[in-house]
Amino acid sequence: TVTTLAPHAGTPVSTTIDPTVQHAAEAALAGEKKSAALVAVNATNGDVLATVSVNSAGFDQALDGHFPPGSTFKVITSTALITHGLTPRSAASCPGTATVDGEVFHNAEGEAPVKTLLQAFTESCNTAFIQLATGHLATPDLPAAAAMLGVGRSTHIGLLSFAGSVPQPADRADLAATSIGQGRVVMSPLSMAMVAAAADTGTVHSPQLVVGASSTSATTAPATQLPADV
């Protein structure tokens, strides 16, 4: 026995969880055979309304998981491209493959032809984003865009949580992989939900779960506005 702690009365804890939304989230993943997670947030203030992890062996992958975000990361890549002068009308193409420094990247099957960045985003065309990223961005630009959207911010929600990590690409091939959410990029469902909320409202919030938890830390970032063109 290392030490013994005397019992003491607990105190009430308030959370932002909405029971109706939480029950709906649990129902949405009921019956899933594979590992899965879901986070619902109030986009206007960052409140976590529901969080569910299933088939995760007790690990809270919804809040603290480290996963490649894949094509959801194209929201961040688009942010980087727009802040470097492109618009939704900027020219783009969607070839079947793109080769960067000898590494070949592929598309999924069935993309429609694209002529603009907006169409490339709509079709989620990997090769279009790789061409645009390697043609217009430097290696620090994707981490900077991710930070603009709140990725990597210190979070204090009352439970362990992961705010995402976007390392600076080591070379052009790594930049290409990063632009489509592969390579060394890892995010949690919570961190991508906050990115979606920021894109929806134009305001970047820190997530909130346990009422008062974030107010105890001076490192929690205040809400910030995205540039209007983004």
Side-chain angles (χ1 to χ4, degrees):
T1 300
V2 177
T3 188
T4 301
L5 303 177
H8 60 85
T11 56
V13 174
S14 297
T15 76
T16 58
I17 295 292
D18 182 316
T20 300
V21 181
Q22 178 68 29
H23 292 156
E26 293 171 2
L29 294 188
E32 278 290 333
K33 305 301 183 186
K34 296 181 179 180
S35 173
L38 187 157
V39 174
V41 301
N42 183 335
T44 62
N45 60 15
D47 285 357
V48 177
L49 304 179
T51 172
V52 184
S53 292
V54 297
N55 304 318
S56 58
F59 171 60
D60 191 348
Q61 58 190 7
L63 301 181
D64 199 32
H66 293 53
F67 303 108
S71 287
T72 61
F73 193 82
K74 290 169 184 168
V75 174
I76 296 172
T77 305
S78 297
T79 298
L81 292 169
I82 290 170
T83 58
H84 285 79
L86 274 68
T87 74
R89 297 175 298 281
S90 294
S93 62
C94 187
T97 63
T99 302
V100 180
D101 289 350
E103 186 166 346
V104 181
F105 297 88
H106 297 268
N107 284 320
E109 295 180 0
E111 285 93 345
V114 306
K115 294 183 179 180
T116 66
L117 171 57
L118 178 59
Q119 290 175 334
F121 186 88
T122 302
E123 294 295 326
S124 190
C125 175
N126 286 345
T127 56
F129 274 85
I130 287 169
Q131 290 177 327
L132 291 169
T134 55
H136 295 275
L137 301 178
T139 53
D141 295 335
L142 289 173
M148 180 188 298
L149 285 159
V151 176
R153 280 187 176 185
S154 179
T155 56
H156 300 271
I157 66 171
L159 290 174
L160 287 176
S161 61
F162 177 57
S165 174
V166 183
Q168 181 166 313
D171 50 36
R172 279 172 46 83
D174 197 16
L175 173 64
T178 300
S179 73
I180 56 173
Q182 300 178 17
R184 294 174 293 140
V185 180
V186 284
M187 306 283 279
S188 66
L190 172 65
S191 58
M192 283 311 306
M194 298 309 298
V195 168
D200 181 47
T201 63
T203 304
V204 182
H205 292 279
S206 294
Q208 313 288 329
L209 177 60
V210 176
V211 176
S214 60
S215 65
T216 62
S217 172
T219 61
T220 299
T224 57
Q225 295 297 125
L226 292 174
D229 53 352
V230 172

